Amino acid sequence: MMLLNLISCKSNEQPSATARDDFRYFVDQFEDMRVLRYRLPGFESLSLQQKKYIYYLSQAALAGRDILWDQNFRYNLTIRKTIETIIETYTGDKESPDYKAFLVYARRVFFANGIHHHYSSDKLKPGFKPEYFATLVRGSSPDRLPVKPGQSADDLISVLSPLIFDEKLFPRKVEQGAGRDMVAESATNFYEGVTQKEVEAFYAAKADSSDSRPVSAGLNSKVVKINGTITEEVYKSGGKYGAAIDSIICWLDKASAVAETEIQKRELQILIDYYRTGDLKKWDEYNVAWAQNSESMVDYINGFIENYEDPLGMKATWEAIVDYTDLEASRRTKTITANAQWFEDNSPIMPKYKKEKVTGVAAKVINIAMLGGDCYPPSPLGINLPNADWIRKEIGSKSVTLANITNAYDIASQGNGFLEEFAADAAEVERIKKYESIADALHTDLHECVGHASGKLAEGTDPNALKNYASALEEARADLFALYFMMDKKMIELGLLPDGQAAEALYDSYLRNGLLTQIVRIRPGKNIEEAHMRNRSLIAHWVYEKGKPDNVIELFNRDGKTYVKIHDYSKLRILFGELLEEIQRIKSEGDFEAGKNLVENYGVKVDPKLHTEILERYAKLKLAPYTGFVNPYLFPVYDSNGTITDVVVEYTDDYLGQMLYYGKNYSFLNPQESLK
Ligand SMILES: [Zn+2]
């Protein structure tokens, strides 16, 4: 509510949405991370009501930022506040190599929403010494530091220094190694003072296997032990994260007042109710309403949604986006959606696990207007929600491809030498360049619109049976569905692809990525941990191995460099179909052992010799494997009566400035709380 005066933000640039061709996408790069910006095409042509609706939702999308930081690690807010204070008030030398190393670390921490890498989960390594950190803290404004009354800068240093510099202390955000206590060894802040066994027993006692519409147990709470008793601290108004949630509620309420339809209004009111009560039944009720509403021009997600960061796959991080429909591109996904039943009927999975009726596979292409929480700075490329299996089965799900984000990626990556280095030959490079945008877009659409929506569970299968392997297997299932159908002549019949070469181009790049290049994101000696990467590795290595007798895919060496060559695209398609059938069976039957074996045998390990080679080749290109975004600023324009008459977009290329601005305007949780 105190955020009305947002116009004070500095930006040298004028809104430049018409300047399509000379829009600069690149903003910043530091070690393995780069930052881009994205455009809001067509924003000016939206109605005033739609613009206001977007504006209020975008404030709600920014208001929960602190929550994610605290979920990622319970000292993150204290560390972030300290970093902000140093950048804004340190009076010492700001030109020294040490200070520059500190700024690199700060930018990486902001990018990861905490001190652990957003993707690899490993603690970020500062390029400066603890003594220098102490100098920075002592040289900064003491009344801005996050200390409790009576504590000094030195007290703060003694708490934070080991957290930042000791590699053995909280080394990983999410630990999913086989045979480890995933709860006790993960730095994420979903559990405190409890073991994995205790948590599993706690939720097992609550589960009711006869409930055909089970709530997502544990989704919005932290599990703690108080005086020997295990209990949940629920995220809600008046509860855990209450101050931030109250701000979200306030903005959602304003949005509700300018919503375009009664359906939107009702949906927002259920979401507000959920934030007030923390009641997971309300959350499901909201998701049903949200999934059914596929007509709105402006849409959003806002809540505790994805469970990738919980080693046990129950607790969700807070995330938000605001988006509006890209009418032109949505025609493509409409075609797919209209044929959803054809896809299901013709899919290579076992008939008994097919949906008799695929419902509500809504899909459209959207442009992002604001990213928040776990969608910022690194953004997803597509979204398929809600996650609850029973809602997906009974109501269906909503799928979107984020057009302006994907576009920014593609344009910023053209001509950087990556493809030329890793493609097997010039013909492959040509084909990718010709078909990349259409093949990628269609793959994402198929993955989101029909892939995730396909298939059903056998009667009585526990939806959580695949535990820590569920995410990787689910992504593999959706990817395989898309890969399998890319090569179907139906794609050309429907006018979705120009010819069969587009699918071949996609197969080339998928295998090249899964077998070779995606491991540039992994540090030497490490395994693959992230679900989407495990999925790609699993698929690529499985089809490579199964196709060996027929030489379907060849890995060959030229001048000491490894390349991938596909010799038989049709056989490869059949292999994709076979793996899809097996993974659907695993999901439908909840076959944990088979799922575990697939992921562990094909999705996790990295060949150290190949890894070294790929990293060396990649390093020579001087590229960053992770991409994040700065948001545009949305500013309301008021008339003399204080009424909003317009909302304008301002683009920025000041990444650090945006982080400090958010720190100043959207901090609702107490950064001193973690200090004992
Ligand atoms: Zn997916």
Side-chain angles (χ1 to χ4, degrees):
M1 283 301 279
M2 53 287 238
L3 304 173
L4 283 174
N5 191 18
L6 288 170
I7 304 188
S8 61
C9 173
K10 279 209 188 66
S11 171
N12 300 327
E13 272 185 88
Q14 292 304 310
S16 55
T18 48
R20 186 180 192 111
D21 293 326
D22 50 16
F23 187 82
R24 276 174 300 103
Y25 287 91
F26 182 82
V27 170
D28 198 357
Q29 182 172 332
F30 31 92
E31 296 192 14
D32 56 348
M33 301 161 178
R34 73 172 172 171
V35 177
L36 308 177
R37 37 182 217 173
Y38 58 93
R39 289 178 67 247
L40 270 52
F43 184 85
E44 301 75 20
S45 5
L46 297 170
S47 71
L48 176 59
Q49 188 180 10
Q50 287 167 336
K51 287 181 186 172
K52 277 156 72 175
Y53 190 49
I54 289 177
Y55 171 69
Y56 291 133
L57 289 172
S58 77
Q59 296 304 308
L62 297 172
R65 179 172 180 249
D66 279 1
I67 297 174
L68 176 72
W69 281 74
D70 191 73
Q71 286 183 307
N72 279 341
F73 184 43
R74 67 180 190 273
Y75 295 98
N76 272 340
L77 287 172
T78 319
I79 294 169
R80 191 187 80 198
K81 181 70 182 162
T82 305
I83 290 174
E84 288 166 355
T85 302
I86 293 168
I87 296 174
E88 288 176 333
T89 70
Y90 178 62
T91 50
D93 179 8
K94 289 191 165 183
E95 295 302 321
S96 72
D98 269 342
Y99 190 78
K100 286 183 176 146
F102 162 73
L103 280 187
V104 168
Y105 179 72
R107 273 136 84 205
R108 287 165 64 74
V109 171
F110 284 124
F111 193 98
N113 292 296
I115 64 166
H116 297 89
H117 196 282
H118 72 292
Y119 215 79
S120 76
S121 219
D122 292 326
K123 193 146 97 178
L124 298 169
K125 269 199 190 80
F128 52 94
K129 294 257 171 334
E131 297 72 35
Y132 183 67
F133 175 68
T135 306
L136 288 172
V137 175
R138 290 189 195 115
S140 300
S141 171
D143 46 312
R144 294 273 307 274
L145 291 170
V147 291
K148 291 195 162 173
Q151 288 181 327
S152 66
D154 280 0
D155 293 329
L156 185 67
I157 293 163
S158 68
V159 174
L160 297 191
S161 207
L163 296 172
I164 294 172
F165 294 96
D166 183 346
E167 290 179 27
K168 294 205 179 70
L169 197 59
F170 303 106
R172 290 183 51 71
K173 183 165 76 167
V174 187
E175 178 56 73
Q176 292 194 305
R180 316 285 289 260
D181 184 319
M182 297 185 279
V183 165
E185 294 184 40
S186 296
T188 42
N189 190 19
F190 299 118
Y191 310 95
E192 199 168 335
V194 286
T195 64
Q196 183 179 343
K197 272 213 171 94
E198 287 171 325
V199 174
E200 284 171 349
F202 178 77
Y203 283 106
K206 291 182 160 219
D208 173 7
S209 59
S210 67
D211 189 350
S212 62
R213 295 173 173 180
V215 296
S216 306
L219 189 76
N220 63 340
S221 63
K222 176 174 174 176
V223 175
V224 294
K225 201 188 266 181
I226 298 174
N227 300 327
T229 308
I230 295 176
T231 178
E232 278 184 320
E233 291 178 343
V234 177
Y235 309 153
K236 61 173 185 174
S237 175
K240 181 99 180 147
Y241 303 141
I245 287 172
D246 284 344
S247 175
I248 297 169
I249 290 174
C250 173
W251 289 110
L252 292 178
D253 223 14
K254 282 176 173 293
S256 166
V258 295
E260 287 191 284
T261 63
E262 286 308 310
I263 293 173
Q264 282 177 331
K265 246 177 220 167
R266 195 183 140 256
E267 180 193 310
L268 276 167
Q269 287 307 323
I270 306 171
L271 179 59
I272 290 169
D273 268 4
Y274 159 68
Y275 273 132
R276 289 215 168 103
T277 59
D279 179 358
L280 286 169
K281 283 259 183 239
K282 284 264 169 228
W283 175 242
D284 280 355
E285 192 191 330
Y286 162 73
N287 276 296
V288 168
W290 181 85
Q292 282 171 332
N293 172 16
S294 56
E295 298 305 314
S296 301
M297 180 74 185
V298 176
D299 205 2
Y300 65 95
I301 61 174
N302 190 309
F304 300 95
I305 297 170
E306 298 291 355
N307 54 20
Y308 301 120
E309 303 296 330
D310 174 11
L312 299 185
M314 271 187 292
K315 317 241 158 248
T317 47
W318 188 85
E319 67 177 67
I321 63 172
V322 184
D323 61 80
Y324 58 100
T325 305
D326 186 324
L327 291 171
E328 180 56 36
S330 289
R331 282 190 201 123
R332 191 178 60 235
T333 53
K334 271 218 178 82
T335 306
I336 296 172
T337 310
N339 289 279
Q341 193 64 50
W342 181 90
F343 285 105
E344 189 72 357
D345 296 344
N346 288 279
S347 139
I349 64 176
M350 286 183 221
K352 63 178 168 177
Y353 299 136
K354 285 185 184 181
K355 281 196 180 119
E356 297 79 20
K357 195 167 183 304
V358 179
T359 46
V361 197
K364 55 183 173 182
V365 178
I366 59 168
N367 290 311
I368 291 295
M370 195 60 68
L371 299 165
D374 216 358
C375 297
Y376 168 88
S379 161
L381 293 174
I383 289 165
N384 176 286
L385 292 171
N387 281 330
D389 266 314
W390 76 262
I391 301 178
R392 302 175 73 86
K393 197 172 145 200
E394 290 184 28
I395 311 293
S397 56
K398 210 149 72 175
S399 270
V400 288
T401 301
L402 317 187
N404 56 346
I405 295 289
T406 312
N407 198 36
Y409 264 98
D410 286 350
I411 295 175
S413 302
Q414 271 165 18
N416 63 13
F418 181 80
L419 189 56
E420 286 77 2
E421 172 61 34
F422 291 102
D425 51 45
E428 187 183 322
V429 173
E430 280 316 300
R431 197 161 49 183
I432 295 278
K433 282 192 171 162
K434 184 168 172 197
Y435 293 103
E436 184 186 30
S437 51
I438 180 66
D440 271 0
L442 185 60
H443 178 257
T444 307
D445 293 342
L446 289 169
H447 174 116
E448 300 289 351
C449 306
V450 276
H452 279 305
S454 160
K456 65 176 183 188
L457 300 185
E459 199 91 357
T461 295
D462 173 5
N464 295 319
L466 302 178
K467 294 186 185 171
N468 50 316
Y469 299 106
S471 302
L473 291 166
E474 177 58 20
E475 292 311 323
R477 203 176 66 83
D479 256 3
L480 286 162
F481 197 94
L483 288 164
Y484 180 79
F485 281 110
M486 280 296 290
M487 190 151 277
D488 200 293
K489 60 181 189 313
K490 184 89 173 173
M491 295 301 107
I492 300 163
E493 272 170 42
L494 292 173
L496 294 168
L497 290 179
D499 53 57
Q501 287 222 318
E504 293 182 8
L506 182 80
Y507 282 16
D508 286 340
S509 65
Y510 198 92
L511 269 290
R512 187 180 349 100
N513 184 47
L515 291 172
L516 302 180
T517 55
Q518 73 161 350
I519 53 177
V520 299
R521 299 171 168 207
I522 306 286
R523 300 215 168 203
K526 299 283 182 185
N527 284 332
I528 301 175
E529 301 281 350
E530 198 276 336
H532 296 79
M533 285 185 75
R534 283 184 164 190
N535 136 44
R536 291 180 212 119
S537 173
L538 188 176
I539 293 175
H541 287 94
W542 192 91
V543 294
Y544 171 65
E545 188 188 287
K546 302 295 168 190
K548 254 186 180 167
D550 297 324
N551 198 26
V552 176
I553 303 155
E554 186 191 0
L555 277 174
F556 70 95
N557 198 291
R558 186 171 62 218
D559 305 329
K561 294 178 175 181
T562 310
Y563 297 92
V564 184
K565 183 83 192 157
I566 300 172
H567 291 296
D568 191 333
Y569 290 94
S570 307
K571 280 213 178 108
L572 176 54
R573 184 188 180 209
I574 293 169
L575 291 171
F576 284 143
E578 285 170 12
L579 184 55
L580 173 58
E581 180 184 11
E582 171 62 2
I583 291 181
Q584 180 63 54
R585 184 199 65 75
I586 289 169
K587 181 181 178 180
S588 293
E589 297 172 8
D591 188 345
F592 176 82
E593 277 307 313
K596 176 184 168 189
N597 286 336
L598 268 186
V599 176
E600 291 290 345
N601 292 339
Y602 298 97
V604 174
K605 287 173 222 120
V606 181
D607 171 9
K609 193 163 155 273
L610 179 69
H611 199 187
T612 307
E613 177 207 314
I614 299 293
L615 287 175
E616 280 173 9
R617 288 163 70 185
Y618 186 76
K620 286 190 184 140
L621 298 171
K622 298 201 180 342
L623 304 174
Y626 304 103
T627 299
F629 292 87
V630 287
N631 282 316
Y633 294 98
L634 299 181
F635 296 128
V637 179
Y638 298 93
D639 67 11
S640 54
N641 301 322
T643 309
I644 296 180
T645 57
D646 198 6
V647 177
V648 295
V649 182
E650 280 193 32
Y651 298 101
T652 180
D653 50 13
D654 184 359
Y655 166 69
L656 216 41
Q658 179 153 91
M659 293 302 170
L660 296 175
Y661 179 79
Y662 285 173
K664 202 166 160 187
N665 291 292
Y666 302 97
S667 289
F668 298 102
L669 302 180
N670 182 358
Q672 301 155 15
E673 198 151 293
S674 65
L675 301 172
K676 293 282 174 314

